[in-house]
Amino acid sequence: MAARSLLSVLLLLACVLLEPQNARALTLSARLIHRFSDEAKALRISRSGEDPKDLGRWPQRNSMDYYHLLASTDFQKQKMKLGSRRHFQFLFPSEGSNTVSFGNDFGWLHYTWIDIGTPNVSFLVALDTGSDLFWVPCDCIQCAPLSASYYSTLDRDLNEYNPSDSNTSKHVSCSHELCESGTNCKSPKQSCPYTIDYYTENTSSSGLLVEDIVHFAAGGDDGPNTSIEAPVIIGCGMKQSGGYLDGIAPDGLLGLGLGEISVPTFLAKAGFTKNSFSMCFDEDDSGRLFFGDQGPATQQSTSFLPSNGNYETYIVGVEACCIGNSCLKQTNFKALVDSGTSFTFLPEAVYDKISKEFDRQVNATITNYAGSPWKYCYNTSSQDLPKVPSVTLMFVANNSFVVHDPVFPINGNQGVVGFCLAIQPTDGDIGTIGQNFMTGYRTVFDRENLKLGWSRSNCQDFSDAKSMPLTPSKGTPPNPLPTNEQQSTPGGFAPAVAGRAPSKPSAASSRLISSQFCSLRLLPLLLVLFLIVLVF
């Protein structure tokens, strides 16, 4: 019993001494041996049993050979460090960073060309920050038409993906950690199925998950672009429904959400870029997409908000709304920032106040268009739109997001005949800031710091970002959504769904990890203490 008591006291004392807060009270020392000293040579011989003659010529201290070996070793270490630093300042699809909107023909969304597989095949995919999965039409059972003749704005056919035609495609099994439907599989080795139901009525995509490479180009400020092949999990979309058969994203959807299965997450985790990306839409229906972009230092920003304790998607808190110079009371709300929604939707109470104030300030005659869902539309007698009041969204610290042209034109046989306020009401208390409000801005989704950034931009000159340091990514944001949860987007003409990812470890699990680490450090000490107890 006395031995056990002594052992317990010694163990307790050792654990206290080794706790981080008492680290300064513990002094450890060790004698350093230079790697080219005679003592190091003797140790190597004694440990390996090598014949001294087999070691070759051991460099004499301060000789030219001595300094040459030191320098060559340092150069090799530097080369290894540089070789492992694969992150780039900007990353964008290999077809180019340009985005384009085709107007009503393709649901008013923005699209970009992106290449998949080996040999590579190009797809015109919609950009959607409101969902995670990147899917394309594949081994089609029910897909939208892919012929250019079906669309008035295309000059080449759209493509269909076939995994068997790609040398780099890989099977994703039901046992894969990102297979959300794995529990419904008959066998763990079965191909992982997926089904995503989007907010737009009866709009969905379903098929199988596959892994393949996606082709990107990397650019910085010190040389030509570099080709990058990034492994990404892709939805082989065999069957689409609803809006996907009516012109919305006929060639696929690029999910840019916070989930583990989104493209920005794959790029950041592989170390290619910082965990951030930007989109910029200009007045001419074109724009830019850059992965790794954290925006200029002069941009305004606001923090993303958690939902149910987790960072599920890009939700921000609007403090107040202003029409022109008139700021309205009780117009605060939360909003999802979603490029996959064509227009902007506000909670009904906020919408009523904003639309009535807009109607009071606008100098035009209100009108109705048959079959139109838009309530506040106006006639115009000229070919140009009249001056309309701006809509300003106010955030914390007086950061403001100003929409200078919150309307869209109505065209007739002889040009513009009217315009409508491009805002709609939605049920619930969460609105949606759609892609129409992002026009004229470089919008940054900084997932690393969980912030939304914005700055006015013509979407051409990004020289202000060339001073950004090239530092490794810090990984995915904390508190993401559990893998089995989904959230529908509040309103929208185009599809959107919330991101999904594993949750953050709890405080209890963090303490457990700390305890296990302490136990590992104590193993040598425990052996010594046990021998002491035996002596006693």
Side-chain angles (χ1 to χ4, degrees):
M1 291 295 293
R4 287 185 180 179
S5 299
L6 177 60
L7 178 60
S8 299
V9 170
L10 290 172
L11 282 174
L12 180 61
L13 178 61
C15 230
V16 169
L17 288 174
L18 289 176
E19 280 296 301
Q21 59 266 30
N22 296 316
R24 292 185 180 179
L26 194 64
T27 302
L28 301 176
S29 63
R31 193 164 64 87
L32 300 179
I33 300 175
H34 195 279
R35 64 178 182 272
F36 290 142
S37 66
D38 291 338
E39 190 171 356
K41 182 178 181 180
L43 280 172
R44 181 172 171 180
I45 293 171
S46 64
R47 289 177 180 176
S48 65
E50 294 180 75
D51 190 313
K53 298 178 181 178
D54 295 335
L55 291 179
R57 186 175 60 177
W58 197 261
Q60 183 180 351
R61 187 175 179 82
N62 297 332
S63 67
M64 187 59 69
D65 285 345
Y66 174 85
Y67 290 119
H68 176 74
L69 281 171
L70 287 179
S72 63
T73 304
D74 289 343
F75 283 136
Q76 185 64 28
K77 285 184 176 180
Q78 285 298 315
K79 186 177 180 180
M80 291 172 64
K81 288 180 181 179
L82 292 173
S84 64
R85 186 180 293 177
R86 298 159 55 198
H87 50 274
F88 298 93
Q89 190 169 29
F90 284 143
L91 209 63
F92 47 88
S94 57
E95 293 264 349
S97 64
N98 293 338
T99 69
V100 64
S101 173
F102 301 100
N104 195 43
D105 281 355
F106 285 81
W108 297 97
L109 300 182
H110 274 258
Y111 295 78
T112 192
W113 288 99
I114 195 163
D115 288 354
I116 303 173
T118 307
N120 58 299
V121 179
S122 299
F123 296 87
L124 182 65
V125 295
L127 306 178
D128 185 17
T129 59
S131 67
D132 297 335
L133 182 65
F134 174 25
W135 65 263
V136 292
C138 166
D139 293 343
C140 284
I141 298 173
Q142 180 177 294
C143 299
L146 301 177
S147 172
S149 61
Y150 190 84
Y151 306 97
S152 61
T153 49
L154 290 182
D155 57 3
R156 58 169 157 162
D157 291 342
L158 301 177
N159 286 311
E160 178 181 342
Y161 175 64
N162 188 339
S164 62
D165 290 341
S166 173
N167 298 330
T168 47
S169 69
K170 295 180 181 179
H171 162 81
V172 175
S173 69
C174 289
S175 60
H176 194 284
E177 60 182 354
L178 295 180
C179 180
E180 293 186 358
S181 302
T183 55
N184 299 324
C185 298
K186 295 180 180 179
S187 166
K189 296 182 179 180
Q190 178 184 332
S191 293
C192 177
Y194 81 89
T195 298
I196 300 180
D197 294 315
Y198 294 89
Y199 181 82
T200 304
E201 187 176 1
N202 298 322
T203 296
S204 67
S205 176
S206 59
L208 300 174
L209 295 183
V210 297
E211 181 182 319
D212 209 337
I213 62 169
V214 177
H215 300 262
F216 294 94
D221 56 0
D222 55 357
N225 292 338
T226 304
S227 296
I228 299 297
E229 296 179 349
V232 170
I233 290 180
I234 301 163
C236 171
M238 300 176 178
K239 188 176 181 180
Q240 277 65 251
S241 66
Y244 290 141
L245 301 179
D246 299 328
I248 295 175
D251 210 24
L253 190 78
L254 180 58
L256 298 167
L258 279 169
E260 291 288 283
I261 206 166
S262 75
V263 168
T265 302
F266 285 120
L267 294 179
K269 281 195 167 185
F272 289 121
T273 65
K274 283 177 170 288
N275 194 9
S276 182
F277 68 92
S278 71
M279 292 187 294
C280 190
F281 305 145
D282 64 23
E283 305 289 344
D284 297 324
D285 293 329
S286 63
R288 309 286 288 277
L289 170 67
F290 286 109
F291 296 99
D293 181 21
Q294 290 186 308
T298 54
Q299 70 183 355
Q300 297 186 75
S301 65
T302 191
S303 297
F304 293 126
L305 301 178
S307 178
N308 300 322
N310 296 318
Y311 287 91
E312 302 174 351
T313 188
Y314 307 116
I315 294 178
V316 295
V318 178
E319 298 286 298
C321 301
C322 307
I323 304 298
N325 295 323
S326 176
C327 292
L328 309 175
K329 295 181 179 179
Q330 296 180 336
T331 51
N332 59 303
F333 64 98
K334 294 180 181 179
L336 171 67
V337 185
D338 182 15
S339 67
T341 300
S342 311
F343 299 99
T344 294
F345 292 76
L346 303 181
E348 195 160 357
V350 177
Y351 168 80
D352 286 342
K353 292 181 180 181
I354 286 179
S355 57
K356 288 177 181 177
E357 180 62 23
F358 180 87
D359 183 57
R360 189 185 69 82
Q361 293 188 28
V362 73
N363 185 22
T365 304
I366 197 165
T367 187
N368 291 318
Y369 292 97
S372 170
W374 308 95
K375 183 178 179 181
Y376 289 88
C377 295
Y378 304 85
N379 287 324
T380 178
S381 56
S382 65
Q383 295 298 311
D384 298 322
L385 291 176
K387 183 175 177 60
V388 297
S390 61
V391 173
T392 302
L393 306 179
M394 299 298 300
F395 295 92
V396 295
N398 287 326
N399 287 324
S400 60
F401 191 101
V402 184
V403 183
H404 295 280
D405 198 17
V407 299
F408 64 88
I410 302 296
N411 294 316
N413 294 331
Q414 298 180 350
V416 177
V417 297
F419 61 94
C420 298
L421 177 63
I423 303 174
Q424 288 272 52
T426 186
D427 297 332
D429 57 355
I430 297 182
T432 302
I433 298 174
Q435 61 87 22
N436 69 316
F437 267 31
M438 300 181 195
T439 301
Y441 280 98
R442 174 179 172 185
T443 309
V444 175
F445 296 80
D446 189 342
R447 301 143 53 92
E448 188 170 299
N449 298 301
L450 292 173
K451 287 186 176 182
L452 177 75
W454 63 90
S455 56
R456 295 292 293 179
S457 176
N458 61 6
C459 303
Q460 300 300 321
D461 182 13
F462 275 34
S463 58
D464 50 7
K466 290 193 174 181
S467 60
M468 293 193 311
L470 297 180
T471 55
S473 169
K474 295 180 181 177
T476 53
N479 296 324
L481 181 69
T483 57
N484 60 348
E485 292 186 40
Q486 292 186 6
Q487 175 183 312
S488 296
T489 305
F493 276 41
V497 67
R500 301 171 294 280
S503 59
K504 181 182 179 181
S506 65
S509 65
S510 298
R511 288 194 294 269
L512 177 61
I513 293 171
S514 176
S515 174
Q516 291 171 340
F517 182 64
C518 179
S519 299
L520 289 173
R521 291 186 300 168
L522 282 173
L523 283 176
L525 183 59
L526 287 175
L527 181 60
V528 175
L529 292 174
F530 180 72
L531 294 174
I532 293 173
V533 171
L534 288 179
V535 172
F536 281 108

